[in-house]
Amino acid sequence: MRGETSAVVDRGRYPEAVTPWEDEAWRAAAHAWVRDRLAARGLRPAGKWRVRLRPWSVLARLPVEGRDALWFKANPPASAFEGPLTEALARWVPEHVLEPLAVDADRGWSLLPDGGPLFRDVLARESVGPKAWEELLRQYAAMQHALTPRAREIARLGVPDAPPTALPDVFDRLDDSALRPEERDGLRKLRPRLLDWCAELAAVGVPDSLDHADLHDGQLFHPAPGRYTFFDWGDAVVSHPFCSLPVPARRARERYGPHVLPRLRDAYLEPWTGAGRTTAELRRAVSLAWRLSALSRAGAYGRLFPAASGATGAAVAGEGARCLLEILDDPPV
């Protein structure tokens, strides 16, 4: 197509996924939007886009003359809040996040700077001990703590609102997930206990905040020793902040063994101490949130492009169902 930048396309494990990228008019509009935003900053494109297509996003790395590459991201309607949320976080907690160069909230488009090496890549090439994970969790928890007064503003940006008191309703909405009959029966039998867990977690009194909901080692940058930058907020919810801990803690457990979990939990809890809450209460809240976090993570699997159906939609739904079943597991901390 005349005027369209050439691209190298990666479809990963979803070769049949249909995204807006397949629409020639959409691609042309995206290229034009990026060119205009670059030109407004005196920047020029410098080569092929490297595009990663998934049922939940279109992500493209854009070479630019004279500087690090930039990133274009397109979210489906159900996570179109990511661009406005990223803009807001850059105002509220700039030391912890990326500042977008441009956002089109109506179309779910963002243009972002490169954040440096992924923590995952650092782990692959260097010897990294548990202390690095402790520090990233301290920084992440400090960011969440700073955002507690902003929880209602974050929800008004379109981020799903799932406080502990609303989690039973979230549970009920997921009842039609891709589960076997015996799995669905096991979850339904759990519901009375779920009500008690939610009420107990709310009673601890830790205020709602932003929960990334998928904070693994590929969702944060490690640009310098002791520095971490958090990104990719398409799965985020406003919920109990402690629901964020299981994903990174599980990744660390895979590397170092289960003995690392108490250290990570206590590092994460440091910014939350005080305010009349005891250490025992906070640790109990971590245990409750660990189990309940499965609900928001399972729900995020439904935030797909509308055309992502058929075999692709079924595969993604199956992953969400497996995530939901984690609520049956006893927390390891």
Side-chain angles (χ1 to χ4, degrees):
M1 182 176 183
R2 186 168 60 189
E4 184 174 298
T5 304
S6 60
V8 177
V9 177
D10 162 28
R11 296 180 178 273
R13 296 185 292 116
Y14 303 96
E16 314 222 344
V18 179
T19 72
W21 183 262
E22 281 69 45
D23 185 322
E24 188 174 286
W26 187 95
R27 289 199 312 273
H31 282 106
W33 184 78
V34 168
R35 286 196 302 271
D36 289 347
R37 298 308 175 276
L38 292 179
R41 292 176 173 266
L43 301 173
R44 292 170 55 87
K48 292 183 178 181
W49 287 26
R50 303 192 69 86
V51 182
R52 193 189 77 163
L53 302 182
R54 300 294 186 266
W56 52 83
S57 71
V58 173
L59 182 66
R61 184 181 186 274
L62 322 175
V64 177
E65 288 183 359
R67 62 164 293 161
D68 292 336
L70 302 178
W71 296 84
F72 166 78
K73 185 170 186 179
N75 291 86
S79 62
F81 60 77
E82 183 174 1
L85 173 61
T86 304
E87 277 189 317
L89 293 177
R91 295 192 304 271
W92 298 333
V93 286
E95 67 275 24
H96 296 295
V97 297
L98 297 174
E99 181 180 2
L101 281 73
V103 168
D104 185 323
D106 291 336
R107 292 189 283 195
W109 294 354
S110 304
L111 186 62
L112 298 156
D114 190 87
L118 289 173
F119 187 46
R120 173 180 293 167
D121 295 337
V122 174
L123 292 171
R125 67 172 184 257
E126 299 178 15
S127 177
V128 178
K131 285 187 178 298
W133 296 76
E134 293 173 35
E135 181 56 28
L136 78 85
L137 286 171
R138 284 191 195 93
Q139 292 185 23
Y140 176 75
M143 179 187 68
Q144 287 184 297
H145 191 273
L147 289 171
T148 55
R150 305 282 187 179
R152 295 308 99 208
E153 291 176 78
I154 294 171
R156 286 195 291 270
L157 293 172
V159 179
D161 196 8
T165 53
L167 289 178
D169 292 336
V170 175
F171 180 85
D172 292 341
R173 290 198 299 272
L174 293 171
D175 189 58
D176 61 352
S177 298
L179 298 166
R180 296 193 299 270
E182 64 273 19
E183 292 171 337
R184 182 171 288 107
D185 186 56
L187 288 174
R188 288 175 177 170
K189 289 178 180 177
L190 188 73
R191 195 180 188 282
R193 296 180 67 194
L194 176 79
L195 295 174
D196 293 337
W197 293 331
C198 292
E200 184 181 356
L201 182 60
V204 175
V206 174
D208 294 342
S209 187
L210 183 64
D211 170 16
H212 184 286
D214 194 26
L215 189 65
H216 58 70
D217 48 15
Q219 306 279 45
L220 61 146
F221 298 110
H222 189 29
R227 284 192 56 209
Y228 300 91
T229 303
F230 308 101
F231 73 101
D232 200 346
W233 299 97
D235 291 342
V237 293
V238 176
S239 189
H240 196 286
F242 295 4
C243 290
S244 287
L245 182 59
V247 171
R250 286 190 179 108
R251 294 298 178 97
R253 180 178 59 182
E254 291 169 4
R255 294 182 68 87
Y256 309 109
H259 67 277
V260 77
L261 293 178
R263 293 174 55 182
L264 298 182
R265 175 200 61 199
D266 291 348
Y268 174 81
L269 286 175
E270 285 182 16
W272 302 100
T273 56
R277 293 182 287 266
T278 67
T279 298
E281 288 173 327
L282 291 172
R283 289 178 175 177
R284 174 59 178 165
V286 165
S287 181
L288 292 164
W290 186 291
R291 191 190 292 269
L292 295 171
S293 70
L295 296 173
S296 294
R297 288 185 286 108
Y301 280 96
R303 299 180 206 170
L304 307 178
F305 288 114
S309 58
T312 297
V316 176
E319 293 179 21
R322 286 191 292 274
C323 182
L324 178 60
L325 291 173
E326 292 173 6
I327 199 170
L328 297 169
D329 299 334
D330 289 332
V333 290

